Amino acid sequence: MTFSILLFSTAIALSGVAAYYSIIGLVTLFPSAALPIIVMGATLEAAKLVSASWLYRNWKNIEALVKYYLAFAVVVLSFITSMGIFGFLSKAHIEQSVVSGQVSIELKIIEDQIKSEERKLSNAQRSLSALDRLVDDSSVDSAVKIRNQQKRDRADLDNQINSSIASIKELNEKASPFRIEYQKLSAEIGPIKYIADLVYGESDQKTIEKAVRAVIILLVVVFDPLAIVLLIAANKEVKNRQQNKEIVYSDVNVVEIDNTQFNDKPKKKRTKAAEIPEEILQKVFKK
């Protein structure tokens, strides 16, 4: 009995979770009618479980038309539930991909700005080094004259260098939260990267999408069908227990007890006085 309860509980719990995911997935497909979809999904899920149980218990005692229609309805409802689960899991993956894409885009923009400032800094430093070499290659008198001529250029280059350094620092501070978020998202999708690399031998974005679809399909295949099979197994367990009880009762020998012997009044015992002739008794009592 305990195992039957465990089977029923597991089947109902699994079916409830499947129904929850399925309803969310169906609401995603029809967002303008969320409440009717929730009511319809919950009702159909309950009808599916009841139909599967009743169909198993009465498979040999119902008409062919009813039998095959109910079987067809259970299969179609299971397919609808699986489709809703697929939509729910796909939506979750797409939302994560969108967030990851937004973070990646923002980070890429900032990284490009940092690279641009680094190029400006590098060019200014090279120009300043060229001016220094020009002074170093000149004589003492010419060097003083050339350095005086380079004052304005050097000032501009120094300003450019300081400005680029300040911009790079500011951009790095701005990029820091996006880098942290990107690292978190990368850690979250890390397992699927390993799965993609294990199955397909590479882990680029296209391969990761294929691996995600494969995992979702595997979950869908075993989710709702497993709940239905567990429910049928629970019904079978209960049915077997009922049949075993009937067999035990049929093997018991019923003993009929004749109670008439207990209902009869006890017979009076005849005394010796009853055997004495009446004439003698009258003579004795008269005396």
Side-chain angles (χ1 to χ4, degrees):
M1 187 65 181
T2 303
F3 190 67
S4 301
I5 295 173
L6 179 62
L7 282 174
F8 268 116
S9 302
T10 305
I12 296 300
L14 189 60
S15 181
V17 174
Y20 173 75
Y21 290 163
S22 175
I23 291 171
I24 294 178
L26 292 175
V27 169
T28 303
L29 295 176
F30 307 100
S32 61
L35 183 59
I37 291 296
I38 292 173
V39 175
M40 181 187 69
T43 306
L44 288 177
E45 187 67 26
K48 179 187 67 179
L49 297 179
V50 174
S51 299
S53 297
W54 188 84
L55 191 63
Y56 172 76
R57 287 174 172 266
N58 301 278
W59 181 262
K60 297 180 180 180
N61 303 323
I62 54 179
E63 298 178 356
L65 180 61
V66 177
K67 179 192 303 184
Y68 293 118
Y69 173 75
L70 283 177
F72 174 75
V74 169
V75 172
V76 171
L77 288 174
S78 179
F79 177 76
I80 292 173
T81 303
S82 300
M83 184 176 62
I85 295 171
F86 186 88
F88 171 79
L89 296 176
S90 299
K91 178 177 177 290
H93 174 66
I94 290 171
E95 287 177 350
Q96 185 185 36
S97 299
V98 168
V99 173
S100 178
Q102 290 176 347
V103 173
S104 179
I105 290 171
E106 293 290 340
L107 185 58
K108 188 175 184 305
I109 292 172
I110 298 174
E111 293 287 352
D112 290 340
Q113 292 175 350
I114 292 173
K115 289 179 181 179
S116 178
E117 292 297 330
E118 287 176 345
R119 283 195 297 270
K120 291 179 181 179
L121 177 61
S122 180
N123 292 333
Q125 289 175 340
R126 281 199 299 270
S127 298
L128 188 60
S129 297
L131 294 178
D132 290 336
R133 285 196 301 272
L134 185 59
V135 172
D136 293 338
D137 294 341
S138 303
S139 60
V140 177
D141 296 335
S142 299
V144 174
K145 184 179 180 180
I146 293 172
R147 184 172 286 277
N148 290 331
Q149 292 174 351
Q150 294 175 348
K151 278 185 178 181
R152 185 174 181 179
D153 294 335
R154 286 179 178 275
D156 293 340
L157 291 172
D158 288 337
N159 290 334
Q160 181 63 50
I161 291 171
N162 294 331
S163 176
S164 296
I165 291 173
S167 297
I168 290 171
K169 182 179 178 181
E170 181 180 354
L171 289 170
N172 280 322
E173 292 176 354
K174 186 179 179 180
S176 180
F178 292 103
R179 287 169 179 163
I180 294 172
E181 186 68 20
Y182 185 78
Q183 291 295 327
K184 289 181 180 179
L185 293 173
S186 298
E188 289 177 358
I189 64 173
I192 197 64
K193 283 185 176 180
Y194 285 109
I195 293 174
D197 188 61
L198 177 65
V199 176
Y200 299 102
E202 52 186 353
S203 58
D204 56 358
Q205 188 62 34
K206 186 176 180 181
T207 307
I208 289 174
E209 294 295 330
K210 290 172 62 178
V212 169
R213 283 194 296 270
V215 172
I216 292 175
I217 290 172
L218 289 176
L219 289 172
V220 167
V221 167
V222 300
F223 215 131
D224 193 61
L226 178 60
I228 295 175
V229 172
L230 284 176
L231 186 63
I232 293 174
N235 279 277
K236 184 175 178 62
E237 187 73 16
V238 173
K239 189 175 181 180
N240 290 338
R241 288 180 62 85
Q242 291 174 350
Q243 291 177 351
N244 291 335
K245 286 183 179 179
E246 292 176 359
I247 293 172
V248 171
Y249 290 149
S250 64
D251 290 340
V252 175
N253 293 323
V254 179
V255 179
E256 294 184 357
I257 301 176
D258 186 7
N259 293 325
T260 57
Q261 58 181 334
F262 300 106
N263 296 329
D264 292 342
K265 293 181 179 179
K267 296 179 179 180
K268 295 182 178 179
K269 293 183 178 180
R270 297 180 65 182
T271 60
K272 292 182 177 181
E275 298 176 356
I276 301 173
E278 186 176 354
E279 294 81 3
I280 298 175
L281 289 175
Q282 288 178 356
K283 292 179 180 180
V284 170
F285 287 112
K286 284 182 179 179
K287 290 180 180 182

